[in-house]
Amino acid sequence: MNEMQQAFDIIRQQQAKLPEYSPAVMVGHQLMDLLKMQPEATEFVLHDLQGKGMGIADCEQRIRAWADEHKKGGSCVCVPPDTAEQIIRKFYGIPAPEETKQRALGLAINLADFL
């Protein structure tokens, strides 16, 4: 079984423990979509998913915190898909597609590469 399939299996196992259309289940779907677009991030996400406090429900809590910070009065808040994606990327350390492309072309310098 390859790493992406392992990551998807872990995500699906976590989703199975949650209500069918809960926000955390949707985070799992969005995370799988991100990994399909950027398979090179799978190794890191797979490692994170197996760690305590790094499940899809934990990530959903970060998105919920963003929503709570942007709530006005008693209104509910919708988290735009691109904002949710940014939070998921940051939570799991998935670089933006442009950043990955720049690194591949040698256009971006990561100072951590010199450590």
Side-chain angles (χ1 to χ4, degrees), residues 49-108:
L49 285 169
Q50 296 171 348
K52 185 174 178 163
M54 294 300 291
I56 58 174
D58 301 300
C59 184
E60 187 272 329
Q61 289 299 315
R62 295 280 176 95
I63 296 169
R64 183 180 304 270
W66 183 93
D68 289 344
E69 290 171 15
H70 293 83
K71 188 181 268 191
K72 304 284 189 224
S75 66
C76 66
V77 176
C78 175
V79 179
D82 60 328
T83 301
E85 180 178 325
Q86 290 172 357
I87 295 167
I88 293 168
R89 284 181 178 283
K90 184 174 181 182
F91 188 81
Y92 289 109
I94 303 170
E98 315 80 58
E99 192 177 325
T100 302
K101 185 185 283 185
Q102 287 177 346
R103 284 185 185 174
L105 295 173
L107 300 175

Side-chain angles (χ1 to χ4, degrees), residues 5-85:
Q5 190 58 49
Q6 289 176 349
F8 285 11
D9 286 349
I10 292 171
I11 292 167
R12 287 185 188 112
Q13 289 168 9
Q14 291 180 14
Q15 288 174 319
K17 297 175 185 175
L18 300 165
E20 188 174 3
Y21 294 105
S22 69
V25 169
M26 298 303 124
V27 168
H29 289 299
Q30 195 166 1
L31 178 58
M32 286 190 283
D33 288 343
L34 287 172
L35 292 178
K36 288 175 190 172
M37 291 186 308
Q38 288 181 265
E40 66 276 3
T42 303
E43 179 183 353
F44 303 110
V45 173
L46 177 59
H47 181 266
D48 285 346
L49 285 169
Q50 296 171 348
K52 185 174 178 163
M54 294 300 291
I56 58 174
D58 301 300
C59 184
E60 187 272 329
Q61 289 299 315
R62 295 280 176 95
I63 296 169
R64 183 180 304 270
W66 183 93
D68 289 344
E69 290 171 15
H70 293 83
K71 188 181 268 191
K72 304 284 189 224
S75 66
C76 66
V77 176
C78 175
V79 179
D82 60 328
T83 301
E85 180 178 325

